[in-house]
Amino acid sequence: GASLLSLATIHSSCPQALPMIGVPALARAQFCRTAELLMLAASNPALPAVGSLHVGVVESVVTYGAFCSLEGQPGRDGLLHVSHIDPSGGRVEVAEDALAVGDRVRVRVTSVADGKISLSCRGVQQGGDAPAAWRLWTPSHVLGSPPTARTLEGLECVVLSYSRSSGAGGQAVNKLSTKCEARLCVAHSPWPDAVKARLLQLGGATRGGELLAVSDRHRTQAANRKDALEK
């Protein structure tokens, strides 16, 4: 891996250098292509999944929150907003009053949009390396991993409907009912009341207490259904 990256660096800065060090043309092309893919993967690490738990290391603290690097997610930082700092859900006026650079806290990924990661400590059990005051708090409900699209599809509280898509695919596809609308009735969901309350606090719920997700970005009904459920 390191040698491939070195070759790619040499090739990008001085393309004529590789023939001079005796690398055959075909091998040079294969090496550089593989190295470029490695460099691309290194510069664009996978984004963490919404709902996943991580250890966040505080890199900087500002008035409105703290920026944390995520262990196991190199190159990925997220914002822990001041309103999501207190694990018990209490209000923190100024982030500097609760966190300092170098603190290690357990965070949950709440959203990923345009490469920006939002984090929260609300309802997250803290580890032994968290600030002392946080370790004394124990959640009344320990939240598990978010349900998968397949799990949601099998719940009676989830209703799926389809209509003609205005998304990608051209006229032939747009004549078919490929657009998917997924509705989750929070009150009838099988989760604890604390989870239901958190769902309704996320915003976007209808007056009837339903969460709505729509997808028409794909060409098939199955793909749009999966995408809507994952939202």
Side-chain angles (χ1 to χ4, degrees), residues 15-45:
Q16 67 272 23
L18 289 181
M20 295 174 61
I21 61 175
V23 180
L26 179 59
R28 182 173 71 250
Q30 292 174 336
F31 281 152
C32 287
R33 178 56 182 160
T34 303
E36 287 168 358
L37 292 175
L38 287 172
M39 294 176 72
L40 180 63
S43 62
N44 294 280

Side-chain angles (χ1 to χ4, degrees), residues 142-162:
V142 178
L143 302 180
S145 300
T148 63
R150 178 175 295 182
T151 299
L152 288 172
E153 188 176 356
L155 296 179
E156 294 183 357
C157 61
V158 176
V159 177
L160 302 172
S161 59
Y162 303 93

Side-chain angles (χ1 to χ4, degrees), residues 5 47 57 127 179 216:
L5 292 174
L47 289 167
V57 181
K179 179 180 179 179
D216 61 356

Side-chain angles (χ1 to χ4, degrees), residues 118-204:
S118 297
L119 308 172
S120 176
C121 287
R122 286 188 174 185
V124 179
Q125 177 72 65
Q126 296 299 311
D129 50 359
W134 294 22
R135 296 197 300 269
L136 301 177
W137 176 80
T138 302
S140 56
H141 294 88
V142 178
L143 302 180
S145 300
T148 63
R150 178 175 295 182
T151 299
L152 288 172
E153 188 176 356
L155 296 179
E156 294 183 357
C157 61
V158 176
V159 177
L160 302 172
S161 59
Y162 303 93
S163 59
R164 290 186 179 181
S165 173
S166 59
Q171 287 184 327
V173 173
N174 294 342
K175 292 180 180 179
L176 303 176
S177 297
T178 57
K179 179 180 179 179
C180 179
E181 178 182 279
R183 287 180 175 270
L184 167 64
C185 180
V186 176
H188 295 157
S189 65
W191 304 305
D193 290 340
V195 175
K196 294 178 182 179
R198 285 173 59 86
L199 288 173
L200 294 175
Q201 290 172 0
L202 291 176

